[in-house]
Amino acid sequence: MPSPPPDPEAVLRVGRLVRHFGVWLLAGVAVSLLPLPWRVATAAFLAGAVVTGIRALRAVAAARLRGGLLPLLVAGLALTGLLGAGTLGSFALWPAETARQECLAGALTVSARATCDRAYQDALDDLTGGITGGP
């Protein structure tokens, strides 16, 4: 006996939630590409994506929809978590990140950019050495 078709209202609700989840996630990705002071807003967009994604998962389960929507939402939420972890990592490295951004803003040559990258790597090594107890 075939299963009954899903409720059309539930399908519309799921579609709306999935679209909102996608918009929140894309906005978070776009904002994460901005320089550091503006990158802080990424956390708000990702929080919106997580809340909407979880609501969409619950709606898909309640509507008993078949297909690849459930795995797609789970993968989207995993990507949201990875982007969130990367964003939080850049917040932890705020002084080194801002110094690198300022250095690169004034770097006109390849060697000047290499100097900025070397200074950034040294700052990261100093920070990780303090965390891990290394030299």
Side-chain angles (χ1 to χ4, degrees):
M1 179 171 161
S3 62
D7 179 30
E9 287 183 24
V11 172
L12 288 174
R13 181 172 188 271
V14 166
R16 187 182 74 248
L17 286 170
V18 169
R19 279 191 307 275
H20 289 168
F21 171 66
V23 168
W24 280 110
L25 183 56
L26 287 175
V29 169
V31 172
S32 73
L33 300 174
L34 295 174
L36 227 187
W38 302 105
R39 199 181 308 164
V40 173
T42 302
F45 286 108
L46 294 181
V50 167
V51 168
T52 308
I54 291 172
R55 289 179 63 205
L57 277 175
R58 292 178 64 199
V60 167
R64 298 180 189 249
L65 295 177
R66 294 183 179 195
L69 191 56
L70 190 66
L72 183 67
L73 284 169
V74 170
L77 283 168
L79 288 174
T80 303
L82 288 173
L83 182 60
T87 300
L88 290 176
S90 71
F91 294 164
L93 303 173
W94 188 289
E97 287 278 339
T98 54
R100 180 175 185 251
Q101 287 176 3
E102 291 171 4
C103 182
L104 287 174
L108 299 176
T109 63
V110 173
S111 62
R113 292 178 75 78
T115 302
C116 294
D117 289 337
R118 208 167 330 145
Y120 178 69
Q121 191 60 47
D122 290 344
L124 289 181
D125 289 343
D126 290 343
L127 279 172
T128 58
I131 292 171
T132 59

